[in-house]
Amino acid sequence: MRGRTPGRTSGARRRLGRLVRARRTRGRRLRRVLAAFAVLLLLLVGTIVVAYERTKIPKPHPETAMQSTVFVDEHGRYLGVRGPVDRQDVPLSRVPRHVQDAVIAAENRTFRSDHGISPRAVLRAAVSTLSGGEREGGSTITQQYVKNALLSPEQSLSRKFREALIAVKLDRNRSKDEILQGYLNTVYFGRGAAGIQSAARNYFGVDVQNLTISQGAVLASIINIPSYYEHAGSDPKVTQTLVRRWQWVLDAMADSGAITTKQRAQARFPAFRFYPPGDADGQRQYLIDAAAQEAADRLGISQDELARGGYTVRTTFDLQTQDAVTDKVSLGMVDVPKGTTLHAAVIALVPGDGAVRVLYGGPDYAHQPFNDALSGAVEAGTALDPFKSVKLKGPLATLPQSTTPNPLRLASAYATMTARGKYAAPYTVAQIIRAGRTVYTAHAATQQMQIMTSSAEPGTYHFSGGAGTGPGARTLWTTDSTTSLSTTVALFAEHPAQGKRKATTAHLPTSAGNLSNSLSDQVLGSGGDPRPVPRA
């Protein structure tokens, strides 16, 4: 056998020694790295634990505590809103389960089982923020509520970290229903609507409890990009995009068992209220002004307190008849001579009760905020003749001596004629509700007077008169009454002020008589007793 040479043996030993030492060195380094990582992990966990313990759930932003006051007509039809934000809180019990499920399907399908955050979404958002990439979504409903109502919307890693901590703490301290209720009352839906109740009204003209499965799925779909989807219904491209997302939400609801296969198959994309609103909304501000003043007086609060108090004011107005009167007046303006402005005041009252069904005080609140029906001083002329020999009481006592009464006051006197001397104070607010509780209900304030009429039929009344006659008429008053409704129309014209020249009285156009009768017939045909009223 050949013996090993000393050089080769010693070289092999050296290489083996170096290999062993290298392995030992790598092992020590790996252990040090692992120890350092463990220390860092412990520090990170400790930091998170300390931060969690020190984190307090903030109070909601002041604006999320503000609510708007909604006005509806006597039938519950949406009239308008007053307030700093278009928002009304509703308890979760008023939100149909299928609407809740639609929002969960659209925004956070693990909401009922998660712990307030999605770790994967948080990590993805953090990596995106650090790398300067696009903003990442994927926040849970709890996180979105924290961001919307408790924190600022800034896109920073520290704010995102704090959002996650608060979301976890909120999830441990509040029930899922409480969190969902807060979210639904604060999330933005577009069209100026904050919260599900305002969204239901602005998109579909209904209260939240009346939303259908299809409507609820639409609102849930809109949350994703409200500034874009708010134009659905008027923009075909936006509508088509929203339809696809709506179908996706409904499919998810069907897959989870939130709705049945039959309900999914029967679902149809719903129609929206027109957006943006039309000119009629400007005319309705006259009604809201009158009702807001009366509601604030009844509650003993300021109008600002009313506007941000979250009330629902059910007015006495009949919106359908009011809109029909507005259209009639617009048509009647066609024959008005150039350089002349025709003013119309139309009041319809319930005889013996005082509820105001129609209150037309001007063509457009934006151009004429002054209400001719409530504050106008219209030359009476012969319109006061029926009251010259009558001893009136209370609010009507000084009426016969007034040469320029406001239309509402004179209209209430004519309604008293129809009610056989039973005077009823005019009112515009029937009921006020807050948080589901009725805080005010109207009661007719009446007073009996000795007034006799010469009507051809009991319970009906007709009068036409004014200041001036024929082509020189300056004002025209017309009243037609049935047992259900007393309608007074006052027409007058003026040459508008120009520069230093003040407004001056103008003669009424020859078509004024036809317009007056047409307005009266419109009101009685829409909301009054169908029996004909004898005309002089």
Side-chain angles (χ1 to χ4, degrees):
M1 292 180 62
R2 293 181 181 179
R4 294 179 180 176
T5 62
R8 289 181 178 178
T9 301
S10 59
R13 288 175 178 173
R14 285 195 297 272
R15 287 194 296 274
L16 180 61
R18 286 196 296 269
L19 182 61
V20 171
R21 285 193 297 272
R23 287 178 177 176
R24 288 175 179 172
T25 301
R26 284 198 297 271
R28 286 195 296 270
R29 288 175 178 171
L30 180 60
R31 286 193 293 274
R32 288 173 183 171
V33 170
L34 290 175
F37 180 76
V39 170
L40 287 174
L41 184 61
L42 288 172
L43 286 173
L44 179 61
V45 172
T47 300
I48 293 175
V49 170
V50 171
Y52 176 82
E53 293 299 327
R54 291 185 175 180
T55 296
K56 295 182 179 179
I57 299 174
K59 292 182 179 180
H61 298 312
E63 57 267 26
T64 64
M66 295 180 183
Q67 302 183 59
S68 59
T69 286
V70 171
F71 296 81
V72 298
D73 80 346
E74 63 162 334
H75 302 292
R77 290 179 290 227
Y78 182 70
L79 182 60
V81 66
R82 281 280 170 87
V85 291
D86 189 356
R87 189 178 75 83
Q88 280 196 312
D89 280 348
V90 291
L92 192 64
S93 58
R94 282 184 58 192
V95 182
R97 182 69 187 211
H98 58 257
V99 177
Q100 300 177 37
D101 290 336
V103 172
I104 291 171
E107 293 296 304
N108 179 196
R109 296 179 186 180
T110 62
F111 171 72
R112 296 288 183 188
S113 59
D114 64 35
H115 297 292
I117 64 169
S118 168
R120 182 180 299 177
V122 171
L123 180 61
R124 186 172 63 245
V127 171
S128 178
T129 301
L130 290 172
S131 63
E134 294 184 0
R135 296 176 181 176
E136 289 284 347
S139 295
T140 63
I141 282 176
T142 308
Q143 287 176 266
Q144 290 184 56
Y145 173 61
V146 170
K147 181 180 67 175
N148 293 339
L150 309 180
L151 294 178
S152 66
E154 66 172 305
Q155 294 292 323
S156 67
L157 192 58
S158 60
R159 207 272 313 148
K160 195 73 176 176
F161 177 66
R162 187 161 179 249
E163 173 192 296
L165 288 178
I166 295 173
V168 173
K169 183 161 260 189
L170 194 69
D171 187 78
R172 294 188 64 182
N173 288 275
R174 307 272 178 86
S175 70
K176 289 291 186 181
D177 280 353
E178 287 179 292
I179 294 171
L180 185 59
Q181 176 177 293
Y183 175 75
L184 290 174
N185 280 325
T186 54
V187 68
Y188 184 62
F189 286 88
R191 295 197 177 188
I196 190 72
Q197 169 69 350
S198 295
R201 286 193 179 279
N202 288 6
Y203 281 93
F204 302 112
V206 300
D207 283 322
V208 63
Q209 64 264 28
N210 297 321
L211 286 169
T212 65
I213 290 175
S214 291
Q215 290 170 339
V218 163
L219 294 182
S221 303
I222 286 171
I223 295 173
N224 181 242
I225 319 176
S227 60
Y228 176 74
Y229 288 129
E230 69 181 0
H231 298 285
S234 58
D235 185 319
K237 183 179 178 181
V238 174
T239 304
Q240 186 177 11
T241 305
L242 182 58
V243 167
R244 289 196 294 268
R245 183 166 175 80
W246 169 77
Q247 292 172 334
W248 174 75
V249 169
L250 286 174
D251 288 341
M253 293 176 70
D255 291 342
S256 68
I259 58 175
T260 65
T261 304
K262 182 179 180 180
Q263 288 173 319
R264 173 64 186 96
Q266 292 176 339
R268 297 293 180 270
F269 194 74
F272 295 163
R273 289 183 68 216
F274 181 75
Y275 182 81
D279 294 338
D281 284 14
Q283 208 284 323
R284 293 175 191 178
Q285 290 303 317
Y286 295 107
L287 308 182
I288 295 174
D289 259 6
Q293 179 65 63
E294 183 176 325
D297 290 344
R298 299 300 186 195
L299 296 176
I301 59 177
S302 69
Q303 288 207 49
D304 284 342
E305 290 173 313
L306 176 78
R308 61 175 182 263
Y311 298 93
T312 296
V313 178
R314 183 177 291 272
T315 69
T316 60
F317 305 123
D318 182 336
L319 194 52
Q320 184 174 339
T321 306
Q322 180 79 28
D323 288 345
V325 167
T326 301
D327 292 340
K328 283 282 187 182
V329 175
S330 297
L331 291 173
M333 298 296 183
V334 176
D335 297 329
V336 176
K338 189 176 181 180
T340 301
T341 299
L342 179 64
H343 290 263
V346 184
I347 303 102
L349 298 164
V350 177
D353 178 85
V356 180
R357 296 289 183 242
V358 175
L359 186 69
Y360 180 91
D364 186 353
Y365 188 87
H367 295 94
Q368 182 198 308
F370 183 83
N371 191 320
D372 287 323
L374 291 179
S375 306
V378 185
E379 190 177 4
T382 59
L384 288 173
D385 287 354
F387 309 101
K388 295 293 186 181
S389 59
V390 176
K391 187 175 182 180
L392 300 176
K393 304 175 184 177
L396 299 181
T398 60
L399 180 63
Q401 289 76 48
S402 174
T403 57
T404 55
N406 77 60
L408 180 62
R409 191 179 182 210
L410 189 52
S412 67
Y414 283 125
T416 303
M417 284 272 202
T418 306
R420 297 298 182 181
K422 185 180 181 182
Y423 167 79
Y427 66 96
T428 63
V429 175
Q431 187 181 48
I432 304 174
I433 299 170
R434 190 185 194 192
R437 184 172 65 90
T438 300
V439 295
Y440 171 78
T441 301
H443 298 285
T446 61
Q447 185 176 359
Q448 190 64 41
M449 301 182 186
Q450 296 300 316
I451 296 179
M452 298 300 294
T453 69
S454 56
S455 299
E457 184 178 351
T460 65
Y461 185 80
H462 170 77
F463 173 84
S464 181
T469 57
R474 297 184 301 275
T475 64
L476 176 61
W477 293 83
T478 303
T479 292
D480 284 307
S481 299
T482 68
T483 54
S484 305
L485 215 55
S486 176
T487 304
T488 295
V489 179
L491 299 178
F492 65 99
E494 67 176 8
H495 298 297
Q498 285 188 344
K500 295 182 179 180
R501 191 185 72 186
K502 296 182 179 180
T504 58
T505 302
H507 296 307
L508 289 169
T510 55
S511 59
N514 292 333
L515 174 60
S516 181
N517 290 332
S518 175
L519 289 169
S520 184
D521 291 342
Q522 177 67 61
V523 174
L524 293 177
S526 299
D529 195 309
R531 291 180 298 171
V533 178
R535 293 192 183 278

